[in-house]
Amino acid sequence: MATGVAAWLPFARAAAIGWMPVANCPMPIAPRDNSKKQDELIILNVSGRRFQTWRTTLDRYPDTLLGSSEKDFFYNEETKEYFFDRDPDAFRSILNFYRTGKLHYPRHECISAYDEELTFFGIIPEIIGDCCYEEYKDRKRENLERLQDDQEENKDLKQSNLNFRETMWRAFENPHTSTLALVFYYVTGFFIAISVITNVVETVPCGSTTNQKDMPCGERYTVAFFCIDTACVMIFTVEYLMRLFAAPSRYRFMRSVMSIIDVVAILPYYIGLVMTNNEDVSGAFVTLRVFRVFRIFKFSRHSQGLRILGYTLKSCASELGFLLFSLTMAIIIFATVMFYAEKGSSSSKFTSIPASFWYTIVTMTTLGYGDMVPKTIAGKIFGSICSLSGVLVIALPVPVIVSNFSRIYHQNQRADKRRAQKKARLTRIRIAKSSSANAFLQGKRNGLINELLELTGTDNDDQKLIRTISLLESQHHHLLHCLEKTTAHEFVDEQMYEQNCLETALQTYPSHSPSIASQDSPVVSCCGCGAKRNAPLPNASLPPANPIPTHHHQGPLQELSALHIQSRDPLSHTTSRSKLNLKTDDSNRINCKSGRITTAIISLPTPPALTPDGDGLHGPLQRRVPLPPGRPAAPSIQTTTSSAETNIVKVSAL
Amino acid sequence: MEAKRVETVSARVDAAVSSTDSVEDELELSAVRHRPEGLEQLEAQTRFSRKELQILYRGFKNECPSGVVNEDTFKDIYAQFFPQGDASTYAHFLFNAFDTDHNGSVSFEDFVMGLSILLRGTVQEKLIWAFNLYDINKDGYITKEEMLDIMKAIYDMMGKCTYPVLKEETPRQHVEVFFQKMDKNKDGVVTIDEFIDCCQNDENIMRSMHLFENVL
């Protein structure tokens, strides 16, 4: 439904006059506006504060509470106003939505209170305008997270019947759950610290013995250090295995960063055990010992800050990379310049450009060790330029990088958020939009059911169950119907369309028949009534009482099986509607009561049954076999679709 | 309710005065406010009653607070009625049909004059309006190309998901049908007299012209 522009519906309908001379068929009748009352003011009393607005303003959004008949529940007969026992402040923005078409989120409102109001009045929050939507979503997410945290804490306190494995996992992940977990947490932390300290102390020279010069403690007290190392590694291994056992998803656990760190931390020891004291590989073995320092990363389980730092570094990788790149560029430039400047001087330390890299880096970061200094005048000039520019090149990006950390971190989060929000938002809006398009198709069916019941003269209770649509909607549907008549094509929904395409692609009729079908369809699928005046036209050489082919739609039995019915009498309006929802058992009743119906072709939908090529099939057929009204049933036509599906029996009956 | 509003008169005065300064012109163009003529004048010029004009103006002003519709807004509004297809081309032609003084925007007077013809005019006037709509270059003749453009625009509004499936040549065929009906002397163009004659002889068209009379 054209929400918000309902005021322009009269204009759109008037403009439809532009289609009239082009159309070849009579137009459907317009719905009558039975309510002759003028536009009136409605009083909305929200907890004592009275709002007034025009009725048509509220009617703009018929799928909300205020726009539909649902508000009649709140009508107060004595005071002749609608009373709502809700928050008047929030109601202000809701009423403004009707007036302006844009929903705003007032920032001082509590998010959950506002949500409740929106739900009460039947407005989906996705249509909040762009100016306020991000704020709304942010607040909502914060609120949700807060609630979730509370819930999780409560959940933790309440959980009592987990199995052993889950208890272990929870103990590992959150040490505050039980005393045992806390003990375990501190013990592992202690051992990590011990392990790191021993690695460090191992290399300290331990005081000289008489016969040898200083040797590191590690070599002096080999056994002691080996014992400590073994103990630590055993603890770590046990811990790793327990975590592996308790993990809900072992594969995911093994891929996680922390477990990789664990493995890398303990692996050198085992490799060292396996390898003998072979002299060749002991060099490699020593290198492996370096990896023992990775044990310090195990602390990140114990420290939240480390984890956040690691994450932000990861997310700022591009910025850091850019800094590195620009630095590299500057280094190369200056190193080259210094090399060529110092080439002349003798005993110059600047033996090659890579050798000059060291000088450039040390100078640019304002370290200035002094192990390499330029001696020529040109070298000194360029050296000073190098150090000055170094100050700029280094000092400028560093604060930017630092502030980028938080900015980029938050920005990345927000961009992903926005993207995810946008997709969800657009999906919902598209659904609402397609529901409006579907409303037309649905309305067609409903309208047809109404007409069918009228025709058959039955007065079922079903009739009352058919949803009565608002005048605005019926006018909009009438407009779309006029367009269908003008172009002699119908609106269908996505899946029908795709099925039709499939069917037309699959049909194995001789090549000329599709072309006939295509020629026929614009005119034949219409009532063919314009044909009366256009005798010379090849397409329209259909006799007046031409029966109309049907369109079959797949689906369950209650799905629409469209039928075209033409009245013999062109001046009659009652049967100008061209489609009917028909069940096979009703066919006889229809054909008996309404003498105007010439020929109806009914399909027995055997699911899945679909023959959109009914047009092509029946078009040529009917041209050769025109049936005047009142004739007994034409022979039943049996067709099988080209697809290897079930038979579709088409019965032509009167 | 008077259609006059208390506007900042300076806006209108500036628009008249600042003809030399191009920068100011740009600014003023965006801030243009249009006030329609008085209610009595409009009542005299159109066939609407006072109340109807009030309702129309309220709806109009709500959508376009500045008082004029430009083509993009017009297309947006019209597109909302046809969610399945693309109504922009047809809206463009409609816009030109309503914008009788061709100044690129439809004011309330234009709007109401057009509606007056469409809803309250004689059949003759309606047919003339329709002819004007089809005659894109306003030269008094409808050529096949113009009709084809209009036809394609109408079919575009149907969108993709139609039954039967829309083929490429459907608009062209429709144009052929139209010309066979309308072009009596077969000179390849339809003049206004041919058009009016032919439509008056066609029952369907005559009947459908009366379709929207009780719209307001």
Side-chain angles (χ1 to χ4, degrees):
Chain A
M1 182 53 209
T3 62
V5 290
W8 285 70
L9 187 59
F11 157 73
R13 300 182 69 212
I17 295 224
W19 309 332
M20 302 298 148
V22 171
N24 298 319
C25 315
M27 290 291 140
I29 318 167
R32 256 200 310 269
D33 183 359
N34 288 325
S35 64
K36 286 298 172 202
K37 47 182 185 220
Q38 298 288 341
D39 199 11
E40 50 169 359
L41 277 178
I42 294 188
I43 304 177
L44 299 162
N45 184 346
V46 182
S47 302
R49 203 187 300 178
R50 279 182 176 71
F51 297 87
Q52 291 186 343
T53 182
W54 299 106
R55 179 176 286 275
T56 47
T57 308
L58 293 181
D59 284 342
R60 275 195 209 142
Y61 297 96
D63 49 355
T64 58
L65 186 153
L66 290 173
S68 64
S69 56
E70 196 181 342
K71 64 177 183 285
D72 294 337
F73 285 104
F74 299 92
Y75 188 66
N76 189 343
E77 291 292 342
E78 298 117 40
T79 53
K80 295 264 185 289
E81 58 190 21
Y82 294 88
F83 181 75
F84 297 96
D85 202 4
R86 309 292 298 185
D87 183 11
D89 290 326
F91 188 75
R92 220 168 47 87
S93 49
I94 289 175
L95 194 53
N96 278 336
F97 166 62
Y98 287 89
R99 293 180 179 136
T100 62
K102 287 205 269 276
L103 181 61
H104 294 281
Y105 168 59
R107 276 158 179 72
H108 59 85
E109 283 284 337
C110 166
I111 186 74
S112 33
Y114 189 68
D115 254 349
E116 272 180 35
E117 295 296 312
L118 285 185
T119 321
F120 180 82
F121 286 102
I123 300 174
I124 52 171
E126 272 70 18
I127 49 180
I128 291 182
D130 285 334
C131 43
C132 300
Y133 190 68
E134 196 169 326
E135 169 88 22
Y136 170 81
K137 270 293 176 198
D138 283 346
R139 301 260 302 252
K140 192 153 182 191
R141 194 183 40 86
E142 269 180 46
N143 201 34
L144 212 64
E145 284 170 359
R146 206 174 306 136
L147 287 176
Q148 259 180 9
D149 285 343
D150 288 343
Q151 269 178 11
E152 270 183 21
E153 280 186 19
N154 288 345
K155 199 170 58 162
D156 284 343
L157 293 172
K158 274 189 272 190
Q159 290 273 20
S160 56
N161 50 354
L162 297 172
N163 64 7
F164 177 62
R165 186 172 157 191
E166 284 169 3
T167 327
M168 259 178 71
W169 180 250
R170 208 158 54 89
F172 281 135
E173 291 299 299
N174 194 357
H176 301 284
T177 47
S178 69
T179 330
L180 194 60
L182 210 57
V183 164
F184 184 75
Y185 177 76
Y186 282 123
V187 162
T188 46
F190 176 70
F191 272 97
I192 294 174
I194 291 279
S195 165
V196 170
I197 290 173
T198 50
N199 285 346
V200 166
V201 168
E202 252 184 1
T203 58
V204 171
C206 246
S208 54
T209 60
T210 49
N211 49 354
Q212 281 169 320
K213 49 189 197 7
D214 289 344
M215 64 198 304
C217 286
E219 286 175 27
R220 193 150 168 212
Y221 300 106
T222 321
V223 177
F225 278 106
F226 182 72
C227 288
I228 297 178
D229 207 18
T230 312
C232 293
V233 169
M234 273 201 319
I235 301 271
F236 295 153
T237 316
V238 165
E239 182 207 352
Y240 179 72
L241 288 174
M242 287 208 304
R243 274 182 206 265
L244 190 62
F245 167 69
S249 158
R250 298 217 170 103
Y251 179 61
R252 205 158 53 96
F253 171 73
M254 280 185 23
R255 280 192 319 177
S256 73
V257 175
M258 289 312 303
S259 80
I260 292 179
I261 291 178
D262 287 341
V263 169
V264 169
I266 60 181
L267 218 49
Y269 176 80
Y270 287 109
I271 295 181
L273 274 187
V274 164
M275 281 198 301
T276 56
N277 281 335
N278 202 343
E279 283 305 317
D280 318 329
V281 294
S282 69
F285 174 61
V286 166
T287 324
L288 270 180
R289 293 186 124 210
V290 167
F291 284 99
R292 290 188 304 171
V293 80
F294 273 80
R295 287 179 198 167
I296 202 167
F297 282 114
K298 287 166 71 72
F299 265 131
S300 57
R301 273 217 187 87
H302 299 256
S303 158
Q304 178 84 333
L306 264 182
R307 274 209 294 267
I308 291 178
L309 181 65
Y311 182 74
T312 51
L313 277 177
K314 196 165 59 160
S315 61
C316 290
S318 66
E319 291 286 309
L320 286 173
F322 174 69
L323 172 63
L324 219 59
F325 177 68
S326 59
L327 265 181
T328 312
M329 259 180 29
I331 286 170
I332 292 177
I333 290 174
F334 278 109
T336 313
V337 167
M338 289 308 296
F339 172 70
Y340 283 113
E342 286 287 306
K343 204 160 173 196
S345 92
S346 58
S347 77
S348 150
K349 292 258 180 63
F350 296 80
T351 51
S352 66
I353 293 185
S356 318
F357 281 168
W358 174 244
Y359 169 76
T360 319
I361 292 175
V362 167
T363 315
M364 281 183 92
T365 54
T366 70
L367 276 176
Y369 289 136
D371 53 347
M372 279 165 88
V373 285
K375 291 193 173 46
T376 59
I377 307 269
K380 286 189 180 161
I381 292 174
F382 286 118
S384 39
I385 296 177
C386 176
S387 69
L388 285 175
S389 64
V391 169
L392 284 176
V393 172
I394 299 287
L396 275 181
V398 169
V400 174
I401 291 282
V402 166
S403 72
N404 267 3
F405 276 176
S406 55
R407 188 178 61 83
I408 289 173
Y409 178 74
H410 289 297
Q411 197 175 27
N412 271 348
Q413 298 287 83
R414 207 174 288 138
D416 289 333
K417 238 193 311 175
R418 229 183 295 138
R419 240 175 283 134
Q421 279 171 22
K422 187 169 184 169
K423 231 177 13 168
R425 255 183 104 186
L426 289 180
T427 313
R428 272 201 83 165
I429 290 179
R430 206 184 320 127
I431 289 175
K433 211 177 160 200
S434 74
S435 77
S436 82
N438 285 338
F440 174 56
L441 301 168
Q442 181 72 29
K444 272 203 291 199
R445 293 177 207 151
N446 284 347
L448 299 172
I449 293 175
N450 270 332
E451 284 205 14
L452 163 62
L453 292 171
E454 278 167 40
L455 277 176
T456 60
T458 55
D459 196 11
N460 303 338
D461 292 325
D462 298 333
Q463 215 172 17
K464 303 191 183 82
L465 288 177
I466 304 292
R467 187 174 67 92
T468 51
I469 54 180
S470 71
L471 180 66
L472 216 54
E473 266 191 63
S474 67
Q475 286 178 344
H476 187 215
H477 290 174
H478 174 250
L479 183 67
L480 292 173
H481 204 154
C482 285
L483 182 60
E484 284 185 336
K485 276 289 158 70
T486 310
T487 57
H489 286 63
E490 294 163 28
F491 287 112
V492 294
D493 55 23
E494 266 305 321
Q495 49 194 113
M496 302 283 187
Y497 171 69
E498 277 157 24
Q499 281 164 357
N500 292 348
C501 288
L502 205 60
E503 284 299 324
T504 44
L506 285 178
Q507 66 179 345
T508 58
Y509 286 109
S511 52
H512 66 269
S513 64
S515 60
I516 295 177
S518 69
Q519 275 179 352
D520 284 345
S521 42
V523 184
V524 166
S525 68
C526 178
C527 306
C529 30
K532 271 182 249 183
R533 315 243 171 255
N534 305 318
L537 280 181
N539 288 344
S541 60
L542 303 164
N546 197 37
I548 322 291
T550 61
H551 315 294
H552 308 288
H553 297 276
Q554 173 187 339
L557 213 53
Q558 64 268 23
E559 195 69 25
L560 184 62
S561 162
L563 219 70
H564 281 264
I565 292 190
Q566 180 192 5
S567 155
R568 265 233 84 197
D569 183 1
L571 294 174
S572 141
H573 291 288
T574 54
T575 54
S576 62
R577 272 301 183 83
S578 62
K579 283 181 281 296
L580 272 185
N581 187 2
L582 202 58
K583 301 208 173 43
T584 50
D585 48 327
D586 289 342
S587 60
N588 293 330
R589 280 191 294 159
I590 294 277
N591 296 323
C592 298
K593 295 237 174 177
S594 163
R596 296 183 185 280
I597 299 172
T598 54
T599 310
I601 301 178
I602 308 152
S603 82
L604 298 166
T606 56
L610 179 63
T611 53
D613 53 355
D615 269 359
L617 173 62
H618 292 286
L621 278 177
Q622 263 91 60
R623 286 228 295 223
R624 295 170 212 134
V625 187
L627 295 174
R631 272 267 235 136
S636 71
I637 306 161
Q638 197 157 22
T639 43
T640 53
T641 56
S642 52
S643 54
E645 297 176 13
T646 56
N647 294 347
I648 294 143
V649 176
K650 291 204 199 101
V651 176
S652 134
L654 267 181
Chain B
M1 174 187 104
E2 280 292 321
K4 282 205 173 77
R5 291 206 184 278
V6 178
E7 285 279 330
T8 52
V9 186
S10 57
R12 295 192 99 188
V13 171
D14 282 350
V17 162
S18 64
S19 50
T20 49
D21 198 351
S22 58
V23 174
E24 271 188 43
D25 270 340
E26 282 183 36
L27 291 174
E28 288 312 319
L29 213 53
S30 58
V32 138
R33 300 253 181 288
H34 182 84
R35 256 189 293 166
E37 309 169 17
L39 202 51
E40 292 85 15
Q41 281 162 293
L42 280 178
E43 232 185 318
Q45 285 170 3
T46 66
R47 300 196 186 92
F48 288 121
S49 73
R50 230 180 142 83
K51 260 232 169 295
E52 289 166 340
L53 281 173
Q54 284 176 357
I55 295 175
L56 278 174
Y57 187 70
R58 284 208 297 266
F60 184 85
K61 184 94 174 160
N62 228 334
E63 269 317 301
C64 322
S66 61
V68 290
V69 196
N70 59 359
E71 187 159 342
D72 291 328
T73 323
F74 194 85
K75 283 186 180 169
D76 275 338
I77 293 173
Y78 201 70
Q80 295 205 30
F81 293 106
F82 302 98
Q84 279 194 322
D86 172 28
S88 54
T89 329
Y90 188 71
H92 167 75
F93 294 131
L94 259 189
F95 186 80
N96 287 338
F98 268 88
D99 185 16
T100 42
D101 46 2
H102 304 292
N103 59 352
S105 63
V106 168
S107 66
F108 184 62
E109 286 96 343
D110 297 333
F111 179 68
V112 139
M113 302 284 199
L115 274 189
S116 165
I117 295 178
L118 287 173
L119 298 177
R120 302 285 156 91
T122 64
V123 176
Q124 182 96 348
E125 290 172 347
K126 290 181 192 173
L127 289 173
I128 296 178
W129 188 91
F131 184 85
N132 244 327
L133 175 68
Y134 301 149
D135 184 13
I136 298 177
N137 55 359
K138 316 280 180 249
D139 61 352
Y141 300 102
I142 304 179
T143 63
K144 277 199 182 166
E145 286 74 27
E146 289 175 339
M147 204 58 218
L148 188 60
D149 284 338
I150 300 267
M151 202 62 76
K152 279 200 198 144
I154 295 181
Y155 275 89
D156 278 344
M157 283 199 284
M158 290 293 294
K160 193 180 56 133
C161 300
T162 59
Y163 182 75
V165 178
L166 265 180
K167 307 229 171 22
E168 274 297 313
E169 61 270 9
T170 316
R172 195 174 296 274
Q173 286 169 350
H174 206 150
V175 171
E176 291 298 325
V177 169
F178 180 78
F179 262 78
Q180 297 230 346
K181 208 167 40 159
M182 300 279 166
D183 191 10
K184 286 290 178 317
N185 56 357
K186 307 286 175 227
D187 56 356
V189 293
V190 176
T191 63
I192 187 153
D193 301 311
E194 287 177 341
F195 182 74
I196 294 183
D197 269 335
C198 195
C199 289
Q200 282 179 333
N201 291 333
D202 186 330
E203 273 188 46
N204 280 333
I205 297 182
M206 281 291 112
R207 207 177 329 129
S208 48
M209 282 292 165
H210 295 290
L211 199 58
F212 292 110
E213 267 169 9
N214 58 346
V215 156
L216 205 55

